[in-house]
Amino acid sequence: MAERMQFEYNVDGGNFTRAGYASSEIKKILKKLNVDLAVIKRTVVASYEGEVNIVAHAYSGTIYVDIDTERIRIRLQDEGPGIPDIDKAMEEGFSTASSQVREMGFGAGMGLPNMKKNTDRMEITSEVGKGTTVEIEIVLK
Amino acid sequence: MKVTDIVKALDLKVFSGEGGLDRDVSGGYVSDLLSDVMGNADTGQVWLTLQTHKNVMAIASLKDLAAVILVGGHKPDENTAMQSNEEDIPVLGTNLPAFDICGKLYELIYNT
């Protein structure tokens, strides 16, 4: 494979019919690259949760994917309300999702913990009123 | 065991995704919280839920699940059925509540 590949996907806030599209594309690419199945599974869980977070909470966002022979890096960057307390947001079961989003079965407060569990590195930076960026990294063996 | 074996044995309705009826079933998972399924379900499992919207199919596809069973007489949304057909992941249905169909499915998968 090429030394390094980069892709980006736009995500619309509030558009649940398209939620998962970017993660599905990422999965297809990783399969084509013959990435280890266990790595694909972890990557897909993390990217889907991040994608849904943009749809559920932000106005719009972009998912940047950067793959080389050593690791997969995904940066999920959104314009949105931001996260006032990141430690709180990381707590399992804590969610600020709307009741409408919860009725769909989202907003259980498991998204960010799922991302953390399935990645080798995760970093959240956020500015209230501006937006949030979540960077995740998965090491390829 | 194939999806089609479960359909026959448990008298399930096939709403969509007929192309995937020969998928192998490795087990089952029941939850209505999508992140729970995303985090904990495994490849080849049948997912029992009362959620009917299209995101169910996004998760079923990303997790390579064998099929979805809608419990308690629920029916898939139109775009859910459409994506089920595109992905060849069957959406099945039963009038039984989750507990009852889980019991029957467990018996079928593990004790026959």
Side-chain angles (χ1 to χ4, degrees):
Chain A
M1 81 187 213
E3 288 287 298
R4 189 171 181 191
M5 301 173 82
Q6 287 168 302
F7 307 90
E8 59 179 84
Y9 305 95
N10 294 320
V11 181
D12 301 331
N15 186 357
F16 275 95
T17 43
R18 249 178 82 85
Y21 173 80
S23 301
S24 170
E25 292 301 303
I26 293 168
K27 183 182 173 189
K28 280 181 203 159
I29 290 166
L30 296 178
K31 272 192 156 175
K32 264 190 207 151
L33 294 173
N34 277 321
V35 171
D36 178 64
L37 271 182
V39 170
I40 296 181
K41 281 187 191 179
R42 289 166 56 211
T43 307
V44 164
V45 171
S47 78
Y48 179 77
E49 294 289 6
E51 187 176 353
V52 165
N53 277 345
I54 296 174
V55 176
H57 297 284
Y59 316 127
S60 69
T62 309
I63 300 177
Y64 300 91
V65 184
D66 185 348
I67 308 167
D68 65 23
T69 52
E70 304 280 311
R71 82 274 176 285
I72 301 164
R73 248 185 230 160
I74 302 177
R75 180 159 51 94
L76 304 112
Q77 194 172 333
D78 74 48
E79 288 171 27
I83 303 172
D85 184 341
I86 291 173
D87 288 338
K88 189 85 190 158
M90 283 303 299
E91 279 178 20
E92 207 141 339
F94 178 81
S95 176
T96 58
S98 67
S99 58
Q100 195 193 346
V101 168
R102 285 172 201 255
E103 274 168 30
M104 294 175 77
F106 293 113
M110 298 173 75
L112 289 173
N114 263 357
M115 291 176 79
K116 177 103 185 158
K117 265 181 230 164
N118 284 282
T119 53
D120 298 305
R121 191 181 67 83
M122 172 164 145
E123 199 175 316
I124 306 174
T125 48
S126 189
E127 195 177 334
V128 173
K130 286 259 171 91
T132 299
T133 298
V134 183
E135 287 182 88
I136 51 178
E137 184 173 310
I138 291 140
V139 177
L140 296 169
K141 289 184 183 109
Chain B
M1 185 170 298
K2 305 268 187 195
V3 174
T4 188
D5 300 324
I6 289 172
V7 169
K8 280 178 200 146
L10 303 182
D11 194 23
L12 302 176
K13 188 172 169 58
V14 180
F15 288 115
S16 55
E18 284 86 354
L21 286 173
D22 63 344
R23 283 175 180 266
D24 288 313
V25 175
S26 65
Y29 199 79
V30 54
S31 182
D32 302 318
L33 294 178
L34 304 194
S35 281
D36 177 34
V37 179
M38 204 59 213
N40 300 312
D42 210 351
T43 305
Q45 288 181 334
V46 173
W47 173 18
L48 296 94
T49 182
L50 49 71
Q51 299 288 356
T52 59
H53 53 84
K54 193 187 169 202
N55 297 274
V56 166
M57 291 318 301
I59 288 176
S61 166
L62 287 168
K63 298 291 288 185
D64 293 315
L65 302 181
V68 176
I69 302 178
L70 302 182
V71 302
H74 285 272
K75 294 178 178 67
D77 295 0
E78 199 176 320
N79 54 12
T80 305
M82 274 169 58
Q83 201 182 339
S84 154
N85 288 329
E86 283 164 23
E87 307 267 0
D88 285 335
I89 300 175
V91 175
L92 314 170
T94 176
N95 287 324
L96 293 174
F99 179 82
D100 297 17
I101 191 69
C102 281
K104 284 173 188 282
L105 185 61
Y106 187 95
E107 187 69 19
L108 183 68
I109 292 175
Y110 296 109
N111 293 334
T112 54

